[in-house]
């Protein structure tokens, strides 16, 4: 089974995507929080998009790692959205983005500890029950470690096993975290429980002056990351790989060319 | 270290620091790159609020705007699960801390964003509109009536003080272009619009209800205003048909 390549839906490229005839991305990934419960101009375009493309979802505000109570009414609204547009793949960040129920609208790192594994797994099970879908948790980029007891690798495998959820493996994030925290991305991929990996991501990153790599999603994918895909693709059963771009979205053709580069590495 | 900070763990401290709370630095001594998180969090809020409140930001200006946003990030506790709705909470937070006309301007801008994204109305009836006193008009719900102390939608900022009063604006989404449009209402038309939107009264009762509220009876001028307004609402597709 081959891996097909999709693109993240952003407002800047929505109209251009609707006009595409050939060479369409295989699917589009949407952030539910940006498209749910809206009407008017964007609601209308989104509806057209959903008729033309298969959709996957990548959530923003679940805050699975937070200590706050889960927001059940929100999860129910989210489920209606996923059901309405027949979206079966729902992924989120293994991170937290709220503190005392206040949103920071960014993914902050959770501690890689046994306690976190337990806490997060309990919550994931609850979410899966409400959404009636598996939650697919992404290996996020982190810039600091907090009270580390487990390696990142063991932490992800433990959560996936204990929560009975799935993993979104972001190749760029493995590469970036590997560089920033001095581990081998190939080893990470060889040891992650690939039977749990059901969805894949890749995007561009940026290097700061001090050498720290940032998960910027604003530029072309680095060749080393494409090489990582090329050399490890046979490890995975997942059949969807998403190209993430959050900025510099003026030229859809450039994004389609990036997709071609990714497809080449999958040949 | 303040007593509050003794009971928070490092991820919570990182969250508080990212929101702008420097008193937790003590808890973060062995963490790296904490500024990266603070910058990401702050940048998101600043960018998005500047986009939602382009005019208000220009009216409030420079450091005052910056510190309002920073205050909000740290103390505003935004609960919106949908990021695009967060500016509505900023409006609530900021309104009491700025000049009244600036608060009116923020209200004006935020209402446009809300209406722009509001869910589409689903028609209940099927019949097209025609005028008869016994008919009940069906209105869509993609509109709101704003009450202003200052007419920020039509008067230059520097002249607003001389126009302090009580203003009503009907703001609605055009059903064809999806753009937001405005109609200024007097207090009679505002009341009429509210009575129409209950959709409990037929057109004759709507007028009677409204007149009763103002303790008055029909006059040629009022009748003309009433007829023109119904006509305008049908022309603008706010009245979408009959129930
Ligand atoms: Fe990703």
């Amino acid at each position: 089974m081959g891996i097909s390549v999709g693109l993240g839906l952003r407002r800047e490229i929505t109209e251009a995507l609707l006009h595409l005839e050939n060479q369409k991305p295989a699917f589009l990934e949407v952030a539910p929080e940006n498209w749910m419960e809206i009407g008017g101009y964007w609601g209308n375009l989104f509806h057209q998009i959903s008729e033309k493309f298969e959709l996957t979802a990548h959530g923003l505000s679940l805050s699975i790692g937070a200590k706050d109570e889960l927001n059940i009414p929100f999860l129910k609204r989210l489920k209606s959205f996923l059901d309405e547009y027949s979206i079966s793949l729902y992924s989120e960040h293994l991170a937290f983005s709220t503190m005392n129920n206040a949103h920071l609208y960014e993914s902050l790192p959770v501690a890689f500890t046994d306690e976190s594994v337990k806490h997060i797994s309990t919550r994931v099970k609850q979410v899966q029950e409400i959404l009636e879908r598996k939650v697919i948790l992404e290996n996020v980029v982190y810039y600091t470690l907090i009270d580390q007891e487990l390696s990142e690798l063991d932490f992800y495998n433990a959560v996936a096993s204990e929560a009975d959820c799935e993993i979104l493996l972001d190749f760029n994030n493995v590469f970036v975290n590997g560089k920033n925290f001095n581990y081998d991305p190939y080893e990470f991929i060889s040891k992650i429980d690939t039977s749990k990996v059901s969805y894949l991501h890749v995007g561009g990153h940026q290097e700061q002056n001090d050498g720290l790599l940032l998960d910027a999603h604003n530029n072309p994918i680095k060749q080393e990351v494409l090489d990582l895909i090329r050399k490890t693709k046979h490890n995975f059963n997942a059949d969807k790989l998403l190209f993430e771009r959050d900025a510099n979205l003026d030229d859809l053709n450039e994004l389609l060319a990036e997709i071609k580069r990714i497809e080449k590495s999958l040949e | 270290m303040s007593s509050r900070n003794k009971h928070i763990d490092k991820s919570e401290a990182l969250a508080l620091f990212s929101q702008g709370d420097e008193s937790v630095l003590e808890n973060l001594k062995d963490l790296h790159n904490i500024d990266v998180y603070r910058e990401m969090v702050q940048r998101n809020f600043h960018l998005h609020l500047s986009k939602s409140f382009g005019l208000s930001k220009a009216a409030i200006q420079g450091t005052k705007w910056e510190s309002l946003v920073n205050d909000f990030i740290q103390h505003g506790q935004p609960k919106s699960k949908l990021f695009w709705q967060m500016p509505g909470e900023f409006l609530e937070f900021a309104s009491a801390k700025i000049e009244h006309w600036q608060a009116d301007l923020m209200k004006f801008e935020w209402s446009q964003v809300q209406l722009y994204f509001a869910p589409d109305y689903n028609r209940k009836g099927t019949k097209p509109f025609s005028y008869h006193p016994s008919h009940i008009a069906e209105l869509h719900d993609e509109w709101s009536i704003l009450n202003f102390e200052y007419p920020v939608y039509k008067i230059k900022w520097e002249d607003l003080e001389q126009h302090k009063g009580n203003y009503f604006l009907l703001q609605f989404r055009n059903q064809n272009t999806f753009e937001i449009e405005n109609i200024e209402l007097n207090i009679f038309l505002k009341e009429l619009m509210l009575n129409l939107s209950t959709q409990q009264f037929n057109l004759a009762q709507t007028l009677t209800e409204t007149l009763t509220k103002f303790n008055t009876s029909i006059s040629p001028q009022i009748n003309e205003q009433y007829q023109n307004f119904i006509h305008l609402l049908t022309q603008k597709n706010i009245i979408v048909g009959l129930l």
Side-chain angles (χ1 to χ4, degrees), chain A residues 29 58 93 138-141 168-173 200-203 215 217 242 244:
Chain A
E29 183 192 86
H58 192 44
H93 306 82
E138 178 176 25
N139 62 310
V140 295
V141 163
L168 155 51
L169 185 114
D170 186 316
F171 287 101
N172 183 59
N173 294 359
L200 304 163
H201 266 187
V202 68
D215 182 25
H217 297 171
L242 185 276
E244 288 186 288

Side-chain angles (χ1 to χ4, degrees), chain B residues 7-26:
Chain B
H7 304 290
I8 59 168
D9 66 26
K10 286 178 192 163
S11 36
E12 290 173 311
L14 180 61
L16 292 171
F17 176 72
S18 302
Q19 289 171 326
D21 181 353
E22 305 231 330
S23 75
V24 293
L25 270 172
E26 187 74 11

